[in-house]
Amino acid sequence: MNNLLKDKNILIMGVANKWSIAWAIAKAFHEAGARLAFTYQGERSYEHVKKLTQNIKGSILIPCDVTKDDDIKNTFEQLKEEFKTLDGVIHSIAHARKEELEGLYINTSREGYLMAQDISAYSLVSVTKHAKPLMTEGGSIVALTYLGGERVVKNYNVMGVAKAALEASVKYLAADLGRENIRINAISAGPIKTLAAKGIRNFNTMLKEFEEKAPIGRLVKTEEVANTALFLCSFLSSGITGEVIHVDGGYNILGY
Ligand code: 0WD
């Protein structure tokens, strides 16, 4: 495992703080020998990311609000300068208005719908477009999704619809880039207590129900999501693209 990503240049997008799924992935990739760059969204995240990455030698921090085309363009221009080539991208970004992550989906506003789609789905398309020219040796792009993109999950609402768009985008992008040995996959993680998750109404009820019903009889850990991301960014998964891999202890197979 220690050298699985040796000398690989990887961009990690979506570390908000130490509980972020993206941070668990970064730690696993660092241990596997990867060279890491991190984007952060705004001052609040910057302080957290700077503190978290201070012991990751050679790591690069780049400001990137994915709603801004210039930020995305600038991010990959900086990576071209610093890394020359890129081998992987982790897209661990999502956002929706708190007030639309509760109640009825039918009450979703146009602004709220477009914002959730822009940050949580379209951003993968734009990031992939800018990453492609740097992936001269091929590459692997991994996005994070949730079961609410496949079936109705109470209160997930507009984020569920954004995740459905994200998962479809993974497939279309995989079809576009497969012949250039650029693979795009998604990890559908079980519920994990993070900053973003706290925005979902009754998230603790979702956690409790998951723990009771999931075939493995417990919550999934961010480390388990990180191990799957490691697999997807390594040669071990060279034959896999356009997939949504569930790391949810089997919860998605249940029909009751
Ligand atoms: O239960 C969970 N936590 C699950 C999360 C289960 C299954 C999937 N996921 C997905 C999320 O939908 C997301 O795509 O995993 C990904 C990471 O989410 P996370 O680790 O749960 O949450 P968090 O640590 O909050 O990271 C999401 C981050 C941000 O957080 P905040 O809460 O500050 O908005 O996405 C980033 C941001 O740092 N983000 C942005 N980054 C750039 N530009 C933007 C933006 N406009 N908006 C949010």
Side-chain angles (χ1 to χ4, degrees):
M1 292 274 268
N2 286 356
N3 290 322
L4 209 45
L5 298 180
K6 192 164 181 344
D7 304 330
K8 298 283 184 190
N9 298 325
I10 305 213
L11 174 64
I12 308 276
M13 309 182 79
V15 176
N17 55 41
K18 66 179 178 184
W19 290 291
S20 297
I21 292 173
W23 178 238
I25 295 174
K27 286 189 283 183
F29 282 25
H30 175 55
E31 278 152 31
R35 198 163 158 227
L36 300 178
F38 295 83
T39 60
Y40 59 88
Q41 185 223 356
E43 275 321 298
R44 185 172 50 102
S45 299
Y46 175 68
E47 290 311 321
H48 284 295
V49 176
K50 186 158 163 274
K51 198 149 162 279
L52 289 169
T53 59
Q54 62 194 334
N55 300 325
I56 300 187
K57 226 163 43 21
S59 58
I60 303 163
L61 274 52
I62 307 170
C64 183
D65 176 340
V66 292
T67 61
K68 300 191 176 110
D69 290 330
D70 288 351
D71 276 16
I72 296 177
K73 188 165 168 287
N74 167 54
T75 295
F76 289 92
E77 278 167 3
Q78 269 203 23
L79 288 172
K80 186 171 176 59
E81 228 169 275
E82 303 266 358
F83 281 172
K84 309 285 178 279
T85 62
L86 191 62
D87 304 287
V89 175
I90 299 297
H91 177 286
S92 187
I93 288 175
H95 192 78
R97 289 181 174 166
K98 194 171 166 42
E99 65 273 20
E100 290 181 345
L101 294 173
E102 62 180 290
L104 298 178
Y105 172 64
I106 197 170
N107 299 326
T108 302
S109 64
R110 181 186 297 274
E111 299 75 34
Y113 182 98
L114 295 175
M115 179 222 271
Q117 288 283 339
D118 186 10
I119 296 174
S120 318
Y122 176 72
S123 60
L124 178 69
V125 182
S126 180
V127 163
T128 301
K129 187 174 173 197
H130 287 84
K132 176 177 175 265
L134 278 69
M135 292 184 160
T136 49
E137 318 295 315
S140 175
I141 299 174
V142 178
L144 275 293
T145 188
Y146 182 63
L147 186 63
E150 298 171 57
R151 57 176 92 136
V152 175
V153 172
K154 197 166 170 27
N155 296 322
Y156 205 58
N157 297 355
V158 66
M159 184 55 78
V161 177
K163 289 302 187 186
L166 179 75
E167 291 177 21
S169 294
V170 163
K171 295 175 181 140
Y172 277 89
L173 291 168
D176 283 352
L177 301 181
R179 291 173 186 282
E180 297 169 61
N181 192 23
I182 298 174
R183 300 179 295 110
I184 309 181
N185 294 286
I187 296 174
S188 184
I192 297 168
K193 211 170 194 156
T194 64
L195 188 63
K198 284 190 194 140
I200 304 162
R201 183 114 177 125
N202 293 338
F203 185 72
N204 289 335
T205 316
M206 201 196 268
L207 278 179
K208 202 160 167 308
E209 189 194 325
F210 181 94
E211 203 165 8
E212 281 156 10
K213 288 176 70 175
I216 59 172
R218 62 170 174 80
L219 296 176
V220 290
K221 303 186 198 91
T222 47
E223 290 72 23
E224 293 172 311
V225 177
N227 289 340
T228 305
L230 188 56
F231 162 71
L232 286 173
C233 283
S234 76
F235 73 93
L236 295 170
S237 58
S238 57
I240 301 176
T241 196
E243 283 295 341
V244 175
I245 299 183
H246 295 87
V247 181
D248 69 350
Y251 189 84
N252 73 91
I253 66 177
L254 301 175
Y256 55 84

